[in-house]
């Protein structure tokens, strides 16, 4: 039985999993929102929220602890200077997971993970095609004028005029 075994293994070794989760959190910090599989989003959420909690402490020890986990100086700086102050009044629940449905290629469930306090990103909604192919319109042919083959002399004269 798996009682009290909370870690989502994701089919990876421990070192690979830690590196992947750290990179995902760094991408979340940098881009404010990332699109990933639902299982990875659920695995990233606890680590991201722990990093925000460290950011709210804003001490040298907290910075060093965050850097030990994330290993990217720019991400740690943005976490402590921008993201953690936005969440200062919140007691938890810094991230949100929005389910997007299944990926076309392998039918894996996909989701956005984003900061709750992030400024809203406006995306243009493109109308999706319903699967029907539009009939290609044939080029209209002018019936009054018929194309006559040009003689070699007239084609050569036109190229001289153009030059």
């Amino acid at each position: 039985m798996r009682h009290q075994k909370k870690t989502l293994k994701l089919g990876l070794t421990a070192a690979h999993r830690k590196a992947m989760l750290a990179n995902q959190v760094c991408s979340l910090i940098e881009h404010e929102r990332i699109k990933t599989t639902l299982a990875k989003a659920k695995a990233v959420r606890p680590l991201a929220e722990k990093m925000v909690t460290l950011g709210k402490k804003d001490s040298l020890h907290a910075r060093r602890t965050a850097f030990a986990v994330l290993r990217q100086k720019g991400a740690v700086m943005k976490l402590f200077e921008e993201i953690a102050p936005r969440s200062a009044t919140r007691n938890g629940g810094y991230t949100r997971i929005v389910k997007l449905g299944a990926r076309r290629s392998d039918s894996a469930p996909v989701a956005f993970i984003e900061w709750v306090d992030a400024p809203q990103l406006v995306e243009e909604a493109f109308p999706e095609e319903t699967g029907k192919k539009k009939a290609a319109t044939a080029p209209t042919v002018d019936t009054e004028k018929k194309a006559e083959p040009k003689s070699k002399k007239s084609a050569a004269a036109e190229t001289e005029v153009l030059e």
Side-chain angles (χ1 to χ4, degrees), residues 2 6-25 39-40 42-44 47 69 71:
R2 293 196 72 230
K6 190 175 175 181
T7 304
L8 292 171
K9 294 190 177 182
L10 302 172
L12 303 171
T13 62
H16 189 179
R17 183 173 52 251
K18 286 178 188 176
M20 190 256 322
L21 293 177
N23 284 331
Q24 293 265 334
V25 172
K40 286 181 186 174
K42 287 180 178 181
V44 165
L47 185 62
V69 173
R71 298 184 296 270

Side-chain angles (χ1 to χ4, degrees), residues 48-63:
E49 299 208 358
K50 286 175 189 166
M51 293 299 111
V52 174
T53 303
L54 283 175
K56 286 169 59 174
K57 291 179 185 175
D58 198 20
S59 65
L60 182 61
H61 179 67
R63 281 181 185 265

Side-chain angles (χ1 to χ4, degrees), residues 22-23 25-30 51 63 66-67 70-83 115:
N23 284 331
V25 172
C26 288
S27 294
L28 179 62
I29 290 168
E30 182 182 346
M51 293 299 111
R63 281 181 185 265
F67 184 74
L70 299 178
R71 298 184 296 270
Q72 290 185 18
K73 191 174 185 178
V76 173
M77 287 176 58
K78 184 172 180 180
L79 173 70
F80 278 80
E81 293 170 6
E82 294 178 24
I83 294 170
W115 301 114

Side-chain angles (χ1 to χ4, degrees), residues 68-133:
V69 173
L70 299 178
R71 298 184 296 270
Q72 290 185 18
K73 191 174 185 178
V76 173
M77 287 176 58
K78 184 172 180 180
L79 173 70
F80 278 80
E81 293 170 6
E82 294 178 24
I83 294 170
R86 276 196 319 233
S87 303
T89 58
R90 224 174 236 286
N91 289 329
Y94 309 113
T95 58
R96 151 188 324 130
I97 295 176
V98 180
K99 295 178 183 177
L100 298 176
R103 191 162 48 195
R104 273 186 82 157
S105 62
D106 60 354
S107 297
V110 179
F112 274 130
I113 182 167
E114 61 188 2
W115 301 114
V116 173
D117 296 329
Q120 293 297 322
L121 300 174
V122 178
E123 294 184 11
E124 294 181 23
F126 293 106
E128 295 183 20
E129 294 184 20
T130 58
K132 296 179 182 176
K133 292 184 179 179

